[in-house]
Structures are given as C-alpha cells and as structure tokens.
Amino acid sequence: MALTAVGLCSRALIKIGATAITAFDEGTAEAEVADALYEPARDALLSANPWSFATRQATLPRLADGPVADFSAAFQLPADFLRALGAGAGGRGRGLDCRIAGRTLQADSDTVTLTYIGRPAEEDFPPFFDQALIARLAAEFCIPLTENSSRADLLQRLAEAEFRRARQIDRQQDSQPGFEDFTLIDARG
C-alpha cells in the first residue's frame, strides 16, 4: 500500500510511542514536529544514494545569461532536482565536464542531458525505501517528542541499518555493468 507523507510520519510516530497524526496542521506537538522535520529528512535520505526509483534524466533548458567565467553556458536545473549524478551531451547522460552553481548547471555545451536524483511523490516510494524513511523519521522525531537521548541513539542505529538494507535491495534491481574495455582481454587478441 502506498503511503502519503502523513502516513509515513504517523508510522514513525507510532515507532517512538507517540500518537499518530491525520494532518500536518492538526495543532498537536506530534504534527508540528513532523511538519518541521519531514521534508528535510526525506530529501536528505533521497540524496544519500543514487536510488533507482528517484533517478531521472532531463534535457535542460539553456539560460540566456551564461556564467561569468570557466564555462560558456548555463542551464536551468529541474524543479525536483536534489543531486546530480552526471551530465552529458549528444544523447548521453554522463561524460560532460560541468559545475552546479546555485540552481543552474554550467558547462561548455549547447545542450545538456542531466542524470540526477529527483524528488518522487511519496506514493511512488518502494516499500524498502518507506521502511528506511520511517526509521529515519523515528530517529529524528525522538528527541523533540520524548527527550530520551539513549532511545534516539538506538533509533539512529536502526535507521542506519535500514538505510544499508534499502541500498542493498535497490542495487539488486539494476543489471551489473560488464567490462567494456579491459586491456588483458584485448591483449589475448
């Protein structure tokens, strides 16, 4: 079952023994903490790994004003951009020398295809990421709501374990790259 932002926060609150919420604006301490901490925790977890479900590619629109120095062109980053994985030109999503500056990408190219981590809708999160995010949120919510630092430390360790597990599951969804250029194979002729 796909979870919403409120649903993810409610499950994290239940993990720390707090009351679940039905909306971020319901006026309870739990809702205020969840509203303040949810988006930064979600974005940090999404940015921490090249998740297959959050990886996007986009051809970037070129901006009229170029950079002051170093590169010849500037391009607008997508609205859901969190982290760059690579940029390319000519139908490739990697291999181009570039720099992220503010909300732009700078490069010496007429066109740029960006491979990046974007911000998908919560309903599109796979179950393994839901569990990692719930664990991370429980660790984030613990101190403000319970003031129990030893419990927060335990929850942080559990969140790190869930993150490692989620990364492992996500990596298994991709085909493993083969050797394209290996000098020992070439030497055999």
Side-chain angles (χ1 to χ4, degrees):
M1 178 175 119
L3 295 173
T4 63
V6 170
L8 291 162
C9 289
S10 289
R11 291 201 178 174
L13 289 164
I14 290 168
K15 276 188 171 271
I16 64 169
T19 304
I21 60 172
T22 56
F24 285 124
D25 61 356
E26 67 186 30
T28 63
E30 289 87 351
E32 288 178 23
V33 167
D35 187 37
L37 298 178
Y38 173 73
E39 287 184 9
R42 175 203 59 203
D43 288 354
L45 193 60
L46 283 167
S47 299
N49 188 63
W51 304 104
S52 60
F53 67 92
T55 300
R56 311 268 190 268
Q57 286 189 317
T59 300
L60 303 182
R62 186 174 179 159
L63 300 172
D65 294 332
V68 174
D70 299 329
F71 293 100
S72 62
F75 301 85
Q76 183 65 51
L77 292 172
D80 67 341
F81 174 83
L82 292 173
R83 179 181 131 191
L85 298 176
R92 296 185 52 86
R94 297 186 189 271
L96 183 65
D97 221 12
C98 64
R99 173 190 314 144
I100 302 292
R103 296 289 305 157
T104 66
L105 180 140
Q106 299 174 353
D108 288 326
S109 182
D110 292 329
T111 62
V112 170
T113 300
L114 178 67
T115 303
Y116 69 101
I117 297 297
R119 187 181 298 111
E122 282 78 6
E123 294 81 14
D124 296 332
F125 293 166
F128 62 83
F129 186 80
D130 282 347
Q131 292 307 308
L133 182 55
I134 289 166
R136 171 81 177 260
L137 291 169
E140 296 281 334
F141 296 169
C142 189
I143 295 278
L145 292 174
T146 69
E147 297 181 8
N148 186 332
S149 60
S150 62
R151 180 190 240 179
D153 289 341
L154 172 65
L155 288 169
Q156 185 60 42
R157 287 193 300 278
L158 291 172
E160 289 170 8
E162 281 294 331
F163 174 72
R164 286 190 303 273
R165 187 179 73 78
R167 270 189 0 202
Q168 182 180 22
I169 292 169
D170 190 62
R171 274 193 220 124
Q172 293 171 350
Q173 298 186 116
D174 197 7
S175 61
Q176 298 302 313
F179 292 110
E180 293 178 19
D181 182 27
F182 191 57
T183 56
L184 293 177
I185 293 173
D186 292 340
R188 285 195 291 182

